Amino acid sequence: NAGVTQTPKFRVLKTGQSMTLLCAQDMNHEYMYWYRQDPGMGLRLIHYSVGEGTTAKGEVPDGYNVSRLKKQNFLLGLESAAPSQTSVYFCASRHRSAYNEQFFGPGTRLTVL
Amino acid sequence: AQSVAQPEDQVNVAEGNPLTVKCTYSVSGNPYLFWYVQYPNRGLQFLLKYITGDNLVKGSYGFEAEFNKSQTSFHLKKPSALVSDSALYFCAVRTTYNTDKLIFGTGTRLQVFP
């Protein structure tokens, strides 16, 4: 099993450009999450999904959109990138049981100039 | 508001000495508590969790954590630190009132010196 994979690993954008980050998992997990990690702030939840076709806002959703058209994929979109969105983005997934831990991808390092 | 606190930004310990990384929480309902480790340029890896039962939980790489309900704490411990344990450690909590999301602490950097 590949677990949770993220594409791309690195990206540099100019202010105003758009992009989509792809997260894929092969563990048949119902729940998927997008986080951003910034120094001294830990992980902050952007959006999450509890199943195919459903999404919900997290702690810091502004400036981001998501889609979960297939159970194994969770896409994070930036329509008009801003320097404040420079961060490391992590995707995670887990089985629906509340007892289960999340499995994380390797991250995407995004720089917005 | 529900929250997790990791009061130390960094913990320094000599190799072979015991280590403790502190975590306290404030939630409504019964907590499900987790510890994760992050090595440089990697994603988070699950270490251990407390759901119910025995207050001392054992996890990966020789780590353990003690759940203390009266002190609302879930400190991570290891009897003998290794240089390879140097990493960023995150405490996280999920509650029975909202099982969808994890609340993460800000992380503690553990530095083990030879």
Side-chain angles (χ1 to χ4, degrees):
Chain A
N1 288 349
V4 180
T5 58
Q6 293 182 231
T7 308
K9 290 184 169 55
F10 303 94
R11 187 71 185 268
V12 178
L13 290 179
K14 294 181 179 178
T15 297
Q17 287 184 320
S18 63
M19 77 163 294
T20 300
L21 282 67
L22 170 64
C23 175
Q25 53 93 5
D26 61 1
M27 297 173 282
N28 202 33
H29 286 168
E30 292 82 6
Y31 285 59
M32 296 187 75
Y33 302 83
W34 275 108
Y35 295 90
R36 59 178 289 173
Q37 183 180 25
D38 302 290
M41 304 189 75
L43 270 73
R44 293 183 291 170
L45 182 64
I46 305 171
H47 286 281
Y48 67 102
S49 169
V50 301
E52 182 178 328
T54 70
T55 64
K57 293 180 180 180
E59 183 185 357
V60 288
D62 293 343
Y64 305 95
N65 56 77
V66 288
S67 64
R68 182 104 181 264
L69 299 179
K70 295 182 179 180
K71 187 177 183 179
Q72 63 268 33
N73 295 337
F74 195 29
L75 279 64
L76 178 71
L78 286 73
E79 291 185 347
S80 180
S84 60
Q85 295 178 304
T86 293
S87 187
V88 181
Y89 292 85
F90 288 101
C91 176
S93 71
R94 73 169 174 95
H95 187 272
R96 64 173 175 266
S97 167
Y99 304 158
N100 284 79
E101 64 272 20
Q102 294 181 11
F103 291 81
F104 283 80
T108 295
R109 185 173 295 276
L110 174 66
T111 302
V112 183
L113 302 175
Chain B
Q2 301 178 113
S3 64
V4 174
Q6 293 182 244
E8 301 155 317
D9 290 335
Q10 181 155 331
V11 170
N12 299 318
V13 64
E15 188 174 31
N17 283 0
L19 69 88
T20 298
V21 182
K22 295 180 180 178
C23 172
T24 59
Y25 64 90
S26 174
V27 298
S28 301
N30 293 322
Y32 301 144
L33 293 152
F34 301 80
W35 275 103
Y36 288 84
V37 60
Q38 184 181 30
Y39 297 102
N41 301 312
R42 303 288 295 275
L44 276 69
Q45 296 178 32
F46 169 74
L47 272 181
L48 51 78
K49 63 183 175 185
Y50 171 83
I51 303 299
T52 187
D54 194 348
N55 290 341
L56 185 64
V57 178
K58 294 188 183 298
S60 306
Y61 312 122
F63 284 92
E64 58 188 26
E66 185 169 12
F67 172 64
N68 188 317
K69 188 172 184 178
S70 62
Q71 297 186 1
T72 62
S73 67
F74 189 55
H75 300 331
L76 182 69
K77 301 180 180 182
K78 188 174 182 182
S80 179
L82 299 173
V83 172
S84 58
D85 293 330
S86 298
L88 189 57
Y89 291 80
F90 290 96
C91 180
V93 65
R94 182 181 298 142
T95 76
T96 52
Y97 285 173
N98 185 340
T99 59
D100 289 348
K101 298 184 284 187
L102 272 181
I103 303 166
F104 282 89
T106 52
T108 298
R109 186 164 302 282
L110 174 66
Q111 192 74 44
V112 182
F113 295 95

